[in-house]
Amino acid sequence: MRFFSVSILFILGFMLRIQAQQPAFLQANVILPQLQYSACAWGDLDNDGDLDLALTGIENNDPISKIFRNDNRLFTDIEAGLIPIHNGTVEWGDYDNDNDLDLLLTGIDIVGVPFTMIYQNNNGTFSDSGIGLPGIIEGQASWGDYDNDGDLDILLLGNLISDIYRNEGNNSFVNITTPFPLMESPMGCWFDYDNNGQLDVMVCGNTGNGVFSKLYSNNHGLFTEVSVGPGPFLGLQGGQIKCADLDNDGDKDIVITGFDVNIEGYFLQYRNDGNDHFTKYAEHTSNLVSASIDLGDFNADGLMDILLMGRCVGCGGTSVTELYQNLGSFNFLGVVTTLPGFKQGGISWGDYNNDGFTDLIFTGTDAREAPRTGIFMNMLGDTSFFSPNTPPAITDGFNVSVENDKLILHWNRSFDEQTPKNALSYNVCIGTQPAMFDIVAPMADLNNGFRTIVSPGNAGSDTSWIISGIPAGTYYFSVQAIDNGFMPGEFSAPFIFSYAPVGLEGKNTTEPVCIFPNPFTEKLQISGKNSSSGLILVCNSKGETVYNGLYNGTLNTTNWHKGLYLIRIMNGGNNFTAKAMKN
């Protein structure tokens, strides 16, 4: 055992020496505005299969907000007409489910007036959506579908603002009531910490009565504070929170930076042990304040690594950039790189040159107090010790169940050469027609799986997806797997099902019924709250009965003729009807 451990350390040391000889990152020769007090985000705005850029910040003492199109690694300002702001956040998301990326911006203008803006993308042309949201200072905004209705809502955090805005469709958002405290210098994130298919929220900041870090559980749209063990999270403000499966065990862990009431900077990792238990792992007193973090698999080994930048209090306020390689089991190794130090800006992983290795963009102020924006190419693919990331396999094993008025879509875990099964995330799309995403947009190309944002899938690591509030109809459902390097697999072939949420006869009762697949060929499955104990009557278009009996899970339809069928479930005096087609 000792020989084995020494051998592993020798090999790791040798690989790190090779890595030191061949710089892990090399600055790309691209022309972009040099920014401070800035934010950045990758996103494929024109659906052409490469990552474009959104940037905000201060250039030459003036705020700017710009979008740059990636044309074969040359970046062109599309002159999107965005409001010039700085000291904010920028995030892509398809809030109107039209299969192109819209943009959410927060920040302050040149005289300090705060703004929160949604810009609608119409085939590459951006316009103000006209949606009125409160401007925020020293905060952030992020997309997330907390109510599982298929469209993106907004978590909005700023000085004395802690809100969720629910997407009502038709360019309308409504502020819902939340128990989140009003805070200064807040930070937060969406993540499904308990794997129940609903997005929970973690928020941190200064309430005026102390600095807090709190987790809120989402129970069908109602948020309640979680009493986490073995003790509360360390209260922090003025940093960032990121959540990812750091130990590949199938649940989301937490990485957080910020400073406490004594302006002491921290960089913490919390391991999610399940049952509301989080272990504070490898606490670091980093002396970094106003720090930014991002998580990504830089060396394509299937483990999420951590990138950290910020201002080092103990070093005269100089800029610092740190890369921590994930060795597994919550062991992280600081990696020596040639990356310059940055502060007062943003960082983001993204494979902008499509070579299978995640690259980096930095914006902010360097160690000489000069504003900088730089793209740093991941060069590990140029060595013989690192193989490029490969996409996960196509998902299969689809099924649908009904719970009250909610549909639950199920699938099997996928497989990937680098990322373990439990750590893969999944991205879901649902539409009323093939290749249409009007119910749940995947922010991806359905033909080849290319992901238009750099992010885990919308279903997280779950192998199910809850969708609620959809009308009766036939739906097309596809899933892709995404690995820890944010590389997507191809989408599955569409799984087709019908859904009838309203009883058509009998008592004045609502009984959801799901028929799948629809159209069907040799087998037909019926799912409903009371279907397992009811009688099933199936008639063809001529009114002839083709099946009349107890529900048995699956109906054999091999000998049925092609055409339309009327399916009725009868239970306790309640009759519920749906239609299905045999091809």
Side-chain angles (χ1 to χ4, degrees):
M1 179 63 70
R2 178 177 174 82
F3 174 77
F4 176 78
S5 300
V6 171
S7 299
I8 290 295
L9 290 174
F10 174 79
I11 293 170
L12 178 60
F14 177 73
M15 292 178 68
L16 289 176
R17 285 198 298 273
I18 293 293
Q19 191 173 315
Q21 294 172 9
Q22 169 66 53
F25 296 95
L26 185 66
Q27 186 163 3
N29 185 23
V30 297
I31 299 174
L32 292 167
Q34 304 300 292
L35 301 176
Q36 59 184 329
Y37 304 108
S38 47
C40 55
W42 296 105
D44 184 8
L45 72 96
D46 49 3
N47 293 321
D48 66 346
D50 56 26
L51 294 174
D52 311 300
L53 267 176
L55 298 172
T56 69
I58 291 287
E59 181 187 33
N60 298 326
N61 298 319
D62 290 321
I64 68 167
S65 300
K66 292 182 178 293
I67 297 174
F68 291 86
R69 187 180 62 242
N70 180 356
D71 297 315
N72 194 26
R73 291 181 280 178
L74 297 176
F75 288 86
T76 303
D77 183 0
I78 69 169
E79 299 182 357
L82 310 179
I83 187 170
I85 54 177
H86 66 287
N87 264 4
T89 59
V90 54
E91 186 169 334
W92 297 99
D94 185 6
Y95 84 95
D96 52 3
N97 286 350
D98 66 349
N99 197 34
D100 52 24
L101 292 181
D102 311 300
L103 197 62
L104 176 62
L105 289 177
T106 71
I108 56 176
D109 66 9
I110 194 170
V111 295
V113 176
F115 287 88
T116 299
M117 306 287 292
I118 298 176
Y119 284 92
Q120 193 171 31
N121 181 358
N122 184 15
N123 296 321
T125 300
F126 289 81
S127 59
D128 182 359
S129 66
I131 297 170
L133 296 170
I136 58 174
I137 299 174
E138 294 185 5
Q140 62 186 68
S142 55
W143 301 107
D145 182 11
Y146 85 95
D147 54 356
N148 293 100
D149 65 348
D151 52 29
L152 293 175
D153 312 298
I154 298 172
L155 174 63
L156 192 62
L157 302 172
N159 279 357
L160 304 182
I161 293 176
S162 298
D163 295 324
I164 290 176
Y165 282 82
R166 187 179 65 232
N167 188 344
E168 300 285 274
N170 299 317
N171 269 8
S172 175
F173 283 76
V174 174
N175 186 1
I176 72 165
T177 301
T178 73
F180 310 152
L182 299 179
M183 298 172 289
E184 296 179 352
S185 301
M187 49 188 178
C189 70
W190 303 100
F191 77 117
D192 181 10
Y193 88 96
D194 51 2
N195 286 343
N196 69 348
Q198 302 177 88
L199 285 179
D200 311 299
V201 172
M202 185 168 182
V203 297
C204 307
N206 190 336
T207 65
N209 293 318
V211 180
F212 297 93
S213 299
K214 296 179 180 292
L215 176 63
Y216 291 85
S217 175
N218 178 4
N219 182 16
H220 304 293
L222 298 176
F223 290 87
T224 56
E225 184 179 346
V226 179
S227 179
V228 298
F233 297 116
L234 180 65
L236 295 175
Q237 62 179 316
Q240 275 192 334
I241 308 171
K242 297 286 184 177
C243 299
D245 187 0
L246 298 178
D247 52 358
N248 290 346
D249 66 347
D251 54 26
K252 293 292 189 295
D253 310 297
I254 299 170
V255 180
I256 181 171
T257 67
F259 55 91
D260 61 14
V261 290
N262 300 315
I263 319 299
E264 186 75 35
Y266 285 87
F267 160 45
L268 306 176
Q269 301 128 41
Y270 285 94
R271 187 185 66 204
N272 186 347
D273 300 319
N275 298 317
D276 301 342
H277 189 284
F278 289 82
T279 299
K280 187 164 62 176
Y281 226 85
E283 178 177 329
H284 302 280
T285 304
S286 65
N287 287 325
L288 293 184
V289 296
S290 301
S292 298
I293 51 176
D294 203 13
L295 309 178
D297 181 10
F298 88 97
N299 56 353
D301 65 351
L303 293 163
M304 281 286 191
D305 309 300
I306 302 173
L307 191 68
L308 176 71
M309 61 169 270
R311 179 169 62 89
C312 184
V313 176
C315 304
T318 191
S319 304
V320 174
T321 297
E322 298 173 351
L323 174 61
Y324 292 90
Q325 181 180 348
N326 189 344
L327 304 180
S329 301
F330 263 76
N331 292 308
F332 291 86
L333 177 69
V335 177
V336 177
T337 72
T338 57
L339 293 170
F342 283 86
K343 64 182 179 182
Q344 299 169 337
I347 51 177
S348 183
W349 295 100
D351 184 8
Y352 93 102
N353 56 2
N354 290 335
D355 67 347
F357 287 92
T358 50
D359 310 300
L360 285 168
I361 182 169
F362 287 85
T363 67
T365 306
D366 66 15
R368 298 181 179 179
E369 302 298 323
R372 287 190 63 178
T373 300
I375 294 175
F376 291 82
M377 296 181 294
N378 189 331
M379 305 303 294
L380 295 185
D382 291 351
T383 75
S384 59
F385 290 93
F386 298 90
S387 300
N389 197 7
T390 56
I394 297 175
T395 53
D396 59 13
F398 297 100
N399 205 335
V400 182
S401 61
V402 179
E403 182 179 302
N404 297 321
D405 62 342
K406 295 178 175 60
L407 282 170
I408 306 176
L409 313 175
H410 308 266
W411 58 89
N412 293 334
R413 290 200 179 276
S414 183
F415 170 81
D416 184 68
E417 292 288 346
Q418 292 82 25
T419 302
K421 277 188 174 183
N422 286 340
L424 294 172
S425 68
Y426 297 92
N427 195 37
V428 171
C429 67
I430 305 174
T432 55
Q433 296 181 25
M436 179 180 284
F437 319 119
D438 51 337
I439 303 299
V440 177
M443 291 182 279
D445 188 322
L446 199 63
N447 295 315
N448 58 25
F450 180 80
R451 192 91 158 102
T452 57
I453 60 173
V454 182
S455 174
N458 52 24
S461 299
D462 298 337
T463 54
S464 63
W465 174 267
I466 299 172
I467 184 73
S468 62
I470 61 174
T474 298
Y475 295 93
Y476 297 78
F477 161 55
S478 294
V479 180
Q480 67 177 159
I482 299 173
D483 67 17
N484 275 345
F486 306 118
M487 179 168 284
E490 294 183 22
F491 277 93
S492 62
F495 180 78
I496 308 169
F497 64 92
S498 291
Y499 176 62
V502 180
L504 301 182
E505 297 180 15
K507 295 180 180 179
N508 185 19
T509 312
T510 298
E511 169 65 23
V513 177
C514 185
I515 308 295
F516 59 94
N518 189 9
F520 61 94
T521 52
E522 298 180 351
K523 293 181 179 180
L524 182 65
Q525 296 187 52
I526 304 169
S527 175
K529 182 178 180 182
N530 297 316
S531 59
S532 59
S533 59
L535 294 174
I536 305 295
L537 175 66
V538 183
C539 299
N540 61 22
S541 59
K542 298 179 181 179
E544 300 168 340
T545 298
V546 297
Y547 180 83
N548 187 1
L550 292 173
Y551 176 75
N552 63 1
T554 302
L555 301 182
N556 188 337
T557 62
T558 304
N559 297 324
W560 295 11
H561 297 295
K562 294 181 179 179
L564 180 68
Y565 289 84
L566 191 68
I567 301 163
R568 183 170 298 168
I569 299 176
M570 296 166 285
N571 184 282
N574 297 320
N575 297 340
F576 310 102
T577 306
K579 297 177 182 178
M581 178 71 71
K582 179 174 181 180
N583 287 338

